[in-house]
Structure formats: C-alpha cells, structure tokens
Amino acid sequence: MKRGLVLEGGAFRGLFTSGIIDVMMAHDVWPDGLIGVSAGAAFGCNYKSRQAGRAIRYNKAYAHDPRYSGIRSLLTTGDYFNAQFAYHTMPRQLDVFDNEAFNANPMQFYAVCTDVETGKAVYKHLEQASDTTYDWIRASASMPLVSRVIDLEGYKLLDGGVADSIPLAYFESIGYDRNVVILTQPEGYQKEHNKLMPLLRLSLRKYPKMIEALDQRHLMYNRQLDYVSEAEREGRCLVIRPKEHLPIGHISHNPDEMQRVYDMGREEGERRIADIIRFYNEQ
C-alpha cells in the first residue's frame, strides 16, 4: 500500500491547505508521496522539508513588499510574483528553505506543470532541492496573464492547474492507492468558463494548444471533481475541503486575510486528523 497526498492549487486559497498539512506534521503523519499543483506545490514543498509554518510566515512578512509581488514586478519583469526574489532570494537568504531536510525525507514529491506547446500536463518528480527544483515549483504556480512562460529542461511551462487541477488519477496510475485529497473549494462547487479567455487568447496566441486547454479547463476540472467523488464513495480516497468559500482571492496583500484562511485550514485539519490517520492506517 502506498499512501499519497494530493494538493489542489488555488493561489492564496492554498493557505488553507498549508494549515492542514502543518497539523499533519504536528501529528507526525507522513505519506509516502505528495503531488502538488500550483500553490499545492509551492506550499506543499514545505511538508517534505518539514517546515511547518513557513508558508504563512513568509507570505505575511512580505505581503506589502514590492520585491515579492505586485504590479511593479509585473510591469518590470513580466511576473506578478517576482521570480528571482520569490523563488531564489527568499528560499536562499530570507526565509531559508531546508534543502537538507527536503533531500533526507523519503517522501516522494511531484509538481504538476502545463506544457504550453501541447496543452498537456507534465509531472515532475523532484528528488533533490536545487535552483532547478525551485524553478519547477515556480512553473507549476505561474498563472497565465500574470506570469511569463518558463523555459525549463526542454519544456515551455505554466500553471499546472490548466492541464490537471486535481491529479488523483495520475497518482493512482503510478501506484498510490490510498490518497488524501485536499481541495480548496467547498462541496458543490463547479468551475465556470473563464471570462478572461479573450485576454488569454491574445497573450498566448503563440500556443494554440494552451488556449484550447484553458478554454476547456472548466469541463476538465468538473470531470475531475466527479472522479474524486467516485473515488471517495469507493473508499479509495479521503477528501478534505473547506466548509465554505474561502475569504481570499487569487492574489492578496492582506496579512490578516491570509492568517484567517490559514487558521481555517488548521481548524479543519485538527477536526479531521483522526480520520486522516485512520484512513492511512487501513489495509
């Protein structure tokens, strides 16, 4: 039996996920593998490095720092979240990412990106922390319109959630048969067609397959919700989701808002931790 953890993205809604995985760390719960999409990868990497509290800490500390994120960064670099500062200066110097702990933890870690040339998902197994690893995580979390396409190891990449928002089926396909799935939308949520498609078509006009994936994303996502629900009914996965819509947008510069969403995750994590432990221990 291989125990997996599947982390949906959702930009700053991912702080809800951070609260839950920090509770899991506090209770010494360690799955065999983790797959994260977008914010699920950017915040979930702290699980493998055993750094509870890191995601909420640095996001609050640099919420108003123009070096970290904002319109100035978007206009001057092409990325709303400054690539150099957020994915290299931050983890190397300011709120140091524990590379040694990441490398020593036997839990497998995967990040999901979207190949803009094919519109298909790329599943990257990240075994050793490095600048390249940080760039894969950055690619997974690079939202269209506010991020540059990233050239990395032969791929052109953006946000993994475009091609595979909830990669439960992929994780099952590589042998993870008991999976906890953490979603960042409440039960009953259905994604609608992206109203920004005219802008996306213009900005990504060089990549017709990516435009097609974005145009169909709501259909893909809602099918994945059905797949997760079926897996949950069959006992193959345990789903944790917020009880209500999280009070935060894709982008936030409000530390109190961030803390509120993180605390909601911690509360739900404490409420469900016994279920998580029981589910992972079942044969």
Side-chain angles (χ1 to χ4, degrees):
M1 180 183 73
K2 290 178 69 175
R3 301 169 301 166
L5 180 63
V6 179
L7 304 182
E8 179 186 14
F12 275 99
R13 293 197 312 271
L15 290 172
F16 173 82
T17 302
S18 292
I20 294 171
I21 62 178
D22 283 357
V23 169
M24 293 172 69
M25 281 190 268
H27 286 266
D28 204 28
V29 176
W30 301 99
D32 301 302
L34 182 162
I35 187 165
V37 182
S38 194
F43 299 159
C45 62
N46 298 298
Y47 198 151
K48 184 169 168 62
S49 68
R50 301 176 184 264
Q51 290 177 280
R54 181 174 178 270
I56 183 62
R57 183 175 62 241
Y58 74 73
N59 276 292
K60 287 177 61 179
Y62 295 95
H64 297 295
D65 193 323
R67 295 175 300 168
Y68 180 43
S69 64
I71 295 299
R72 183 190 303 177
S73 176
L74 180 62
L75 294 176
T76 57
T77 72
D79 295 304
Y80 192 91
F81 288 90
N82 185 287
Q84 180 59 42
F85 185 87
Y87 291 97
H88 296 285
T89 303
M90 176 87 73
R92 290 293 190 188
Q93 301 174 24
L94 301 176
D95 196 320
V96 177
F97 187 74
D98 194 334
N99 289 349
E100 291 184 4
F102 182 96
N103 297 344
N105 189 337
M107 180 173 66
Q108 304 294 292
F109 181 83
Y110 292 78
V112 184
C113 302
T114 300
D115 182 338
V116 300
E117 295 184 315
T118 65
K120 303 296 185 182
V122 177
Y123 305 95
K124 182 65 175 180
H125 182 198
L126 297 169
E127 300 182 74
Q128 298 288 310
S130 66
D131 285 336
T132 301
T133 293
Y134 300 159
D135 282 333
W136 274 100
I137 293 169
R138 170 193 162 207
S140 181
S142 289
M143 297 179 289
L145 288 183
V146 295
S147 308
R148 292 171 292 167
V149 172
I150 298 171
D151 287 285
L152 187 61
E153 295 190 318
Y155 295 99
K156 294 182 182 295
L157 303 168
L158 279 176
D159 185 354
V162 174
D164 193 347
S165 298
I166 313 169
L168 173 61
Y170 174 77
F171 232 30
E172 289 179 332
S173 76
I174 61 170
Y176 289 89
D177 47 10
R178 294 198 68 77
N179 292 288
V180 171
V181 179
I182 301 181
L183 304 179
T184 58
Q185 295 284 11
E187 189 168 9
Y189 172 79
Q190 290 281 287
K191 186 177 287 294
E192 298 180 354
H193 186 254
N194 194 328
K195 296 178 181 178
L196 297 177
M197 278 308 303
L199 288 175
L200 289 162
R201 291 181 191 279
L202 181 63
S203 68
L204 292 165
R205 58 191 177 277
K206 295 180 181 178
Y207 307 109
K209 294 294 186 181
M210 183 66 168
I211 292 172
E212 182 180 344
L214 284 161
D215 197 37
Q216 299 294 311
R217 184 183 180 186
H218 63 299
L219 302 176
M220 175 274 295
Y221 182 87
N222 294 334
R223 286 194 299 269
Q224 289 190 323
L225 287 178
D226 291 340
Y227 184 88
V228 169
S229 294
E230 180 182 1
E232 185 178 29
R233 286 193 299 270
E234 293 177 356
R236 304 198 321 267
C237 75
L238 175 69
V239 180
I240 303 175
R241 52 169 68 87
K243 296 177 182 177
E244 59 192 73
H245 289 284
L246 295 171
I248 199 166
H250 275 80
I251 292 171
S252 175
H253 296 277
N254 186 331
D256 293 336
E257 196 174 63
M258 296 174 187
Q259 186 68 51
R260 189 177 308 119
V261 171
Y262 173 79
D263 289 343
M264 291 172 70
R266 286 201 66 98
E267 180 180 347
E268 189 65 12
E270 291 289 0
R271 191 178 76 84
R272 300 297 304 277
I273 191 63
D275 296 335
I276 294 170
I277 293 171
R278 187 181 309 114
F279 177 78
Y280 276 151
N281 287 337
E282 288 174 354
Q283 299 298 321

